[in-house]
Amino acid sequence: MMQKPRVAGHRESIFNNEVVSRFELYNSLFLTLPFYKIKDTGTLLPLFIKHCEDGVKTHLAPSEIIDTFFAKYTQVGGAKDVIDLLFRFIQYIERQVVLFDAVEDASFSKLNVDEDTHTLRLMLKKSEFNTELHQKIEDLIKDFSLRLVLTAHPTQFYPGTVLSIITDLTAAIKVNDIVSINQLLQQLGKTPFFNKKSPTPVDEAMSLAWFLENVFYFAAANIQSEIDQDLHEFNILSKKIIELGFWPGGDRDGNPNVNSGHTLQVAKTLRQILFRCYYRDFRKLKRRITFRGVEETVNKVQDVLYRNAFDINVVPENISASLIEDLHLIKSTLIESHDGLFADLVDDLLRKVELFGSHFASLDIRQDSSVLRATHAYCRQSKPIVSLFPENYDELPEEEKISQLSFKSAKLSYTGEPGPLILDTLETIAKVMEIQHSNGELACHRFIISNTQQASDILQLIELFLWNGWDESKLTVDFVPLFETVNDLQGAAKIMEKLYSHPFYRKHLESRGNKQDIMLGFSDSTKDGGYLMANWSIFNAKVGLTAIAAEHNIQLAFFDGRGGPPSRGGGKTHRFYASMGKEIANKNIQLTIQGQTISSQYGSVDSAGFNIGQLINAGISSSIKERHNILLDPLHKDVLDMMAKDSFDTFMALRKHPLFLTYLERFSPLTLLSKITISSRPVKRSSGEKLRLEDLRAISFVTSWGQLKQNIPGFYGVGTALKNQEAIGNWDNIVKTYQQSGYFKTIIDNCMMSMSKSDFSITAHFAKDPDFGDFWKMLNNEYETAKEMLLKLAGHSALMENYPVEKRSIAVREKIVLPLVLIQHYALEKLQQQLDETESQSYEKLAIRTVYGIVNAGRNSA
């Protein structure tokens, strides 16, 4: 039976008219700009794109596609001229990606409305005549919060200059200002897209601070204002909902280039940027408040803001409380003596000071447990505590080890030179206290322990604080374990049980309001066990950790380490939170936003406001309903247990394949990523020559598969798992689980998104490779199996059928960067040949340059 053709929906029509058509219009303008050798490039690029598409359809190798193009359409002769033209193609395509981003962002408000009908306002309206619901919302608001944490992962390529152009270009496109668009495209063509040198941790912080200053400062305040108004209307006391976190300068896990000096410098810079934002707002406010009775306070506030914003000699301290007090005084005078004129402007600034304090965003410290253990071992050799620990302390069983910890404050006399990581740990512990004094406690109050494997990893860190200047009664620090691997996730609840039962740790939690943050990492768990096992392991860990916290009366907050793509926990993130049942703590949503997710979902005030609102609505609606999560019922749980195991086994078989890493090194730019000047962070954690999978950073792992257009971490094993269930006659149960569980449906939908960004036809010529042909066929077969089974499960005829606009956006972006993918393969293929040093460097640069545009086009592809 033939399926009826689907009629394009309203959003699709808007997308085609507002985005695709306008992009084609402005792109034609872009191709005629007066730049170096523009005539040839502008004429040849459309021909090259078409030639690439035709070549891929016939499964030609990239070298065949590019060689035949040059033979047919150009008189270019030598390799140098070929490389030169390919570089100009890359420069064009990079900027076409930016143009498409700007056009899409300009149409954001027309394309996006709240997907959920469960907004806070609608829920409040329902509670008008429902006392029980009204009380439930009021109780929830007291505890609810959303923390977005910006992280310095190396996939946010655009420097501040380009981000500013994108912002201005988006604004011009909104009003179809052709003159400005033309000028901005010219500026874009002449502006470098990347730095010649790798950024320092402070450089990375400044790059991301652009989003704090230009986006979050306004978007967070706008959302908080809406919340305040809604709650006030329904007689519920408002509170601060939104919190911002920051990792650049504080995250040193696997990044030896971050030191305590960077941490302090970033904290100072965030403070200064914030006060410049406050000063900018206050100057506008002062132009309106020209009445008698407020002059003295207005001048006082302006002077304070100016000194903290621009005077490098000012002694920094947390002045947010006194600033709030003065602003309230100004507001009171306006209300009492001037009919409340412009009191709303004061309210706006007040709201921002209440949100951001003197710090702007909380700077998290993160370090690996192995470094912290080594630091504890170094300190144990010092007087006066050296006699408290047996020499074989590190070899003791966990219980005995914990029993040796005394938690006594001490001033240590260190002996011997500490290594650089140990020294940084000790200095950072001291800097946290300094930052809290200058910017407020919230400026730096969390220490995240990566690779937490036992309770002593947390308890030993507490001792390090007590040995390095901190007092037990003033330990204003939260210790956050990070569980990532499949094994660590399975043991997480037992570790937290030990901590909650430990007298000292329990006392510390009481001093922190009986609140515990726990971070769960998607990236490494996906690399460790595959897409489905990672998601299922995290789900089960959350259930177990929630139950243990409830037993001990602890308010638990999960901090989700989510990357951009589904394989790193991204995708339709808010749907994960909306689908949580009462068995998973969900009142405090915390997640990382990183890479292209920052610019794609939070790159403008409109998009940031929309996505912040989506997350808040998801968390509140989930908590209000408190439905039982049906994945915990035996029928559904057994199904997911079996599928996760089958998927895990399939993924592990792939990982253990002798060609697994070799294939990735040979056909992707993995070995070249360390030469890309976009990050202070190494590609791998160890410094050894030989690449080991366990040392490879998850972001490099995922990025490499994304460059290949195969996205293995986002789907591999899912198809086999579904096929196996069908084979044993369990298909109806799978369908039932998909239809009844929002969580499982989101996993499947995100998997389809990963697959939509895959295109095995680009690498189909690998099938003929004598060494890697069978391996490629194995990858392709799993892709085809997954596609077949996922479409059958969803009842669809195409991937992402239920997200037509997003699907179309992906298709346009993939078409734009197809030539980049082929140029990359072409350059990597050339590098396998015997080349002189000059030729080798040229092809390396060619391959490296393609990475930027491919990742930027994916928006959440790394």
Side-chain angles (χ1 to χ4, degrees), residues 319-553:
I319 60 170
S320 56
S322 61
L323 191 56
I324 288 171
E325 185 179 337
D326 287 336
L327 289 172
H328 273 298
L329 184 60
I330 293 171
K331 179 183 173 182
S332 297
T333 305
L334 294 178
I335 291 172
E336 292 168 7
S337 305
H338 303 287
D339 302 317
L341 190 59
F342 302 126
D344 57 324
L345 298 181
V346 182
D347 269 335
D348 180 63
L349 184 54
L350 258 172
R351 188 175 296 108
K352 289 168 180 169
V353 178
E354 288 166 349
L355 280 173
F356 309 124
S358 294
H359 62 282
F360 215 156
S362 296
L363 187 60
D364 285 342
I365 308 297
R366 183 171 76 132
Q367 184 55 283
D368 190 79
S369 60
S370 61
V371 175
L372 301 177
R373 288 184 211 125
T375 307
H376 193 264
Y378 169 77
C379 292
R380 291 199 308 268
Q381 306 307 311
S382 306
K383 293 181 179 180
I385 63 169
V386 64
S387 61
L388 299 179
F389 294 91
E391 288 188 14
N392 67 336
Y393 172 84
D394 285 326
E395 285 72 49
L396 293 175
E398 174 72 352
E399 295 299 334
E400 288 186 45
K401 195 181 288 186
I402 291 175
S403 69
Q404 299 290 325
L405 304 176
S406 60
F407 304 101
K408 299 294 183 184
S409 296
K411 186 173 179 60
L412 304 186
S413 299
Y414 294 118
T415 57
E417 284 295 319
L421 294 179
I422 292 174
L423 180 62
D424 173 67
T425 301
L426 299 176
E427 290 178 343
T428 299
I429 287 171
K431 297 297 184 189
V432 171
M433 185 182 293
E434 187 177 339
I435 292 169
Q436 287 195 1
H437 177 74
S438 61
N439 295 16
E441 181 186 317
L442 291 178
C444 189
H445 67 98
R446 299 203 305 185
F447 201 119
I448 299 164
I449 302 92
S450 293
N451 196 29
T452 299
Q453 296 179 335
Q454 49 201 16
S456 57
D457 288 334
I458 308 292
L459 299 175
Q460 288 175 177
L461 177 57
I462 294 177
E463 281 207 320
L464 290 179
F465 270 77
L466 297 177
W467 295 341
N468 291 278
W470 290 77
D471 184 81
E472 176 190 342
S473 62
K474 298 177 182 178
L475 189 56
T476 50
V477 178
D478 299 308
F479 300 94
V480 183
L482 167 53
F483 303 106
E484 291 188 274
T485 67
V486 172
N487 283 336
D488 289 348
L489 288 164
Q490 290 173 348
K494 289 182 179 178
I495 290 174
M496 297 313 299
E497 169 72 31
K498 282 185 182 178
L499 287 171
Y500 297 150
S501 303
H502 190 278
F504 184 89
Y505 191 76
R506 184 58 196 244
K507 183 180 177 184
H508 174 68
L509 277 186
E510 288 172 359
S511 73
R512 305 297 294 161
N514 274 329
K515 295 179 179 179
Q516 174 69 57
D517 293 356
I518 297 176
M519 187 171 182
L520 303 173
F522 281 77
S523 302
D524 279 293
S525 50
T526 302
K527 180 168 76 81
D528 184 51
Y531 175 73
L532 188 55
M533 176 59 88
N535 278 280
W536 188 232
S537 295
I538 288 169
F539 176 87
N540 285 319
K542 284 188 172 183
V543 172
L545 288 165
T546 301
I548 291 295
E551 284 179 25
H552 292 269
N553 196 29

Side-chain angles (χ1 to χ4, degrees), residues 791-810:
L791 292 179
K792 182 176 181 180
L793 177 61
H796 295 165
S797 58
L799 295 172
M800 292 189 72
E801 187 177 292
N802 50 337
Y803 296 109
V805 170
E806 289 84 351
K807 178 184 176 182
R808 180 86 167 102
S809 176
I810 290 171

Side-chain angles (χ1 to χ4, degrees), residues 655-675:
R655 274 185 41 149
K656 292 173 183 176
H657 194 288
L659 293 179
F660 183 61
L661 267 186
T662 311
Y663 177 87
L664 205 55
E665 289 178 294
R666 166 67 177 81
F667 294 113
S668 84
L670 174 61
T671 57
L672 300 177
L673 292 181
S674 61
K675 298 183 180 182

Side-chain angles (χ1 to χ4, degrees), residues 140-148 224 227 239-243 515 517 555-558 577 586-591 612 615-616 619-620 623:
L140 173 62
I141 292 297
K142 292 176 184 175
D143 296 326
F144 187 81
S145 65
L146 167 67
R147 178 180 289 213
L148 297 173
Q224 186 67 51
I227 292 170
K239 61 160 287 221
K240 172 183 170 181
I241 296 286
I242 304 164
E243 303 167 357
K515 295 179 179 179
D517 293 356
Q555 184 178 331
L556 181 60
F558 288 118
Y577 293 110
N586 203 33
K587 291 181 180 179
N588 304 102
I589 295 177
Q590 303 181 13
L591 68 154
I612 290 171
L615 287 168
I616 291 173
I620 288 178
S623 299

Side-chain angles (χ1 to χ4, degrees), residues 662-732:
T662 311
Y663 177 87
L664 205 55
E665 289 178 294
R666 166 67 177 81
F667 294 113
S668 84
L670 174 61
T671 57
L672 300 177
L673 292 181
S674 61
K675 298 183 180 182
I676 297 180
T677 56
I678 56 168
S679 174
S680 68
R681 183 185 299 269
V683 171
K684 56 180 182 173
R685 284 183 165 86
S686 73
S687 57
E689 289 295 320
K690 185 174 173 59
L691 179 65
R692 300 187 310 161
L693 184 59
E694 54 267 36
D695 294 331
L696 185 62
R697 299 197 67 88
I699 194 165
S700 306
F701 178 72
V702 172
T703 298
S704 298
W705 285 112
Q707 294 285 307
L708 267 169
K709 292 299 166 189
Q710 292 177 359
N711 290 328
I712 294 299
F715 73 85
Y716 201 87
V718 177
T720 295
L722 287 168
K723 196 80 173 176
N724 290 351
Q725 290 299 304
E726 182 185 49
I728 63 174
N730 206 22
W731 187 252
D732 288 344

